[in-house]
Amino acid sequence: MDLSAVRAELPVLDRYAYLNAGTFGPLPRRTVEAIQRRLARDLAEGRSGKLLFEEVHALRTRLREALGRVIGAPAGSIALTGSTTDGCNIAVNALRLGPEDEILTTDLEHPGLEGALRVSGSRVRLARLRNLPAEAALEALEAEITPRTRLIALSHVCWVTGHLFPVRELAGRGIPVLLDGAQAAGAIPVDVGALGCDFYTVSAQKWLLGPDSTGCLYVRPELVEELRVTFPSFASWKPWTDELVPGAPRFEPGWISAATLEGLLQSIAFAEEAGDERFERARAAAERCRGLLAERARVVTEPGHATLVTFKPQGDPAEHVARLASRGVIVRELPGFGWVRASVGFWTSDEDLERLAGGL
């Protein structure tokens, strides 16, 4: 992988050590150019007519295929969404859970997943992982499974600690598994078939470097016909009929602009051109980040996980984040934890990491 060529496509890196892809990834130049071209066309030619809808339909089809490649999903199993939050709500509501049912999750989940579970009407059981080492997670999760457990819902990579959760080990028990993939898809290799999950959500504005409000939901094909469509859109139905479209697209919640579709396709193409080597490079950079930070702070993230590195600095985390930003280093605070999180991507250079460590 040619790091200099990759970084040349991400103009924000000219100014900043940008280490916040876990919130929003740096936008590739080609992504913005594609959006601008499409918006200029819409401005000049308008946004109506059969041609527009045919183009958007074709773009949606291409994007489902591209996102399917990102997570190893088969044809027909991807629904386009605006976020992981969309995907979590669609999946939870589709399962027809009731007050006698239980959902197993953890005390380290993002509100995008946690909120859907809270309003599900079911009892939520928490595996308390916050103060446990990563190796103790599986035992803590298994201890909370009961005969009433109807859904296991948790992150693939924890947004707080950066740890990989034991998701493969939780699958295959006859209980649907919903994975929040916001901090995994695009950051590490993902194969939903190998994971054995029933649902997998993607936030494409993070590690896939896509435009705002983009993502998808994977639904295991064998499960589709058993699920309830609770928020149908124009995309849910065969044209001018009352018949649902086959596969996961029936769960798509609504319209996505042509400009956004074209932009995300370019972001995915950019990552694919970097090749699979990008995953190993990102992991190696994350380990280097851990080593540099360990000399200056308490590192929360254990070795050998994903590409988030969380640490507890001396003093007020918010002040550290602000001071680092003033020095051109972009990280984020994790409110309520007293921690700071750095997101390390395949585009991250050694100089970026040294600027972070030096800024502390």
Side-chain angles (χ1 to χ4, degrees), residues 305-322:
H305 284 265
T307 54
L308 295 175
V309 181
T310 298
F311 59 98
K312 182 177 178 57
Q314 297 180 10
D316 180 34
E319 291 180 2
H320 278 284
V321 170

Side-chain angles (χ1 to χ4, degrees), residues 201-222:
T201 70
V202 173
S203 291
Q205 83 279 6
K206 298 180 186 290
W207 299 96
L208 287 175
L209 315 185
D212 295 6
S213 301
T214 53
C216 73
L217 169 68
Y218 160 77
V219 182
R220 185 166 60 83
E222 297 80 4

Side-chain angles (χ1 to χ4, degrees), residues 127-151:
R128 301 193 180 279
L129 308 183
R130 178 167 175 170
N131 298 315
L132 295 180
E135 64 182 11
L138 180 59
E139 181 179 357
L141 283 156
E142 289 180 323
E144 297 297 333
I145 297 175
T146 78
R148 290 186 176 183
T149 305
R150 295 293 177 268
L151 175 65

Side-chain angles (χ1 to χ4, degrees), residues 86-316:
D86 284 353
C88 292
N89 278 278
I90 291 167
V92 172
N93 288 325
L95 287 169
R96 298 183 173 90
L97 301 175
E100 300 302 314
D101 298 323
E102 293 182 352
I103 301 172
L104 171 59
T105 189
T106 82
D107 61 346
L108 289 172
E109 299 306 324
H110 189 275
L113 172 60
E114 183 183 347
L117 306 184
R118 284 180 179 176
V119 301
S120 67
S122 301
R123 182 184 177 191
V124 177
R125 295 180 67 94
L126 290 179
R128 301 193 180 279
L129 308 183
R130 178 167 175 170
N131 298 315
L132 295 180
E135 64 182 11
L138 180 59
E139 181 179 357
L141 283 156
E142 289 180 323
E144 297 297 333
I145 297 175
T146 78
R148 290 186 176 183
T149 305
R150 295 293 177 268
L151 175 65
I152 299 172
L154 74 166
S155 298
H156 187 180
V157 173
C158 179
W159 75 289
V160 178
T161 65
H163 292 154
L164 283 157
F165 282 158
V167 295
R168 288 184 180 87
E169 296 85 346
L170 293 168
R173 300 169 184 252
I175 304 170
V177 175
L178 163 60
L179 297 183
D180 176 346
Q183 302 299 343
I188 62 173
V190 176
D191 184 332
V192 291
L195 291 173
C197 60
D198 299 275
F199 305 97
Y200 196 96
T201 70
V202 173
S203 291
Q205 83 279 6
K206 298 180 186 290
W207 299 96
L208 287 175
L209 315 185
D212 295 6
S213 301
T214 53
C216 73
L217 169 68
Y218 160 77
V219 182
R220 185 166 60 83
E222 297 80 4
L223 195 62
V224 169
E225 296 299 330
E226 303 174 20
L227 300 173
R228 178 175 55 183
V229 179
T230 59
F231 192 68
S233 71
F234 80 97
S236 302
W237 311 99
K238 293 183 177 180
W240 316 116
T241 73
D242 59 358
E243 185 178 352
L244 289 166
V245 299
R250 67 180 58 183
F251 300 107
E252 293 181 353
W255 181 263
I256 303 171
S257 75
T260 296
L261 295 169
E262 292 191 3
L264 182 51
L265 281 166
Q266 288 297 322
S267 292
I268 294 173
F270 169 69
E272 289 180 333
E273 288 173 14
D276 289 345
E277 180 189 346
R278 69 190 188 275
F279 296 121
E280 183 55 37
R281 196 195 179 285
R283 280 187 183 272
E287 290 305 306
R288 174 163 169 74
C289 183
R290 287 188 70 264
L292 289 170
L293 291 174
E295 300 172 4
R296 298 162 173 83
R298 181 175 73 83
V299 178
V300 175
T301 308
E302 297 176 23
H305 284 265
T307 54
L308 295 175
V309 181
T310 298
F311 59 98
K312 182 177 178 57
Q314 297 180 10
D316 180 34

Side-chain angles (χ1 to χ4, degrees), residues 17 19-20 311 321 324 329-333 340-343 356:
L19 300 167
N20 196 27
F311 59 98
V321 170
L324 286 165
V329 180
I330 309 302
V331 292
R332 69 156 293 178
E333 179 195 4
V340 175
R341 189 187 73 189
S343 304
L356 167 63

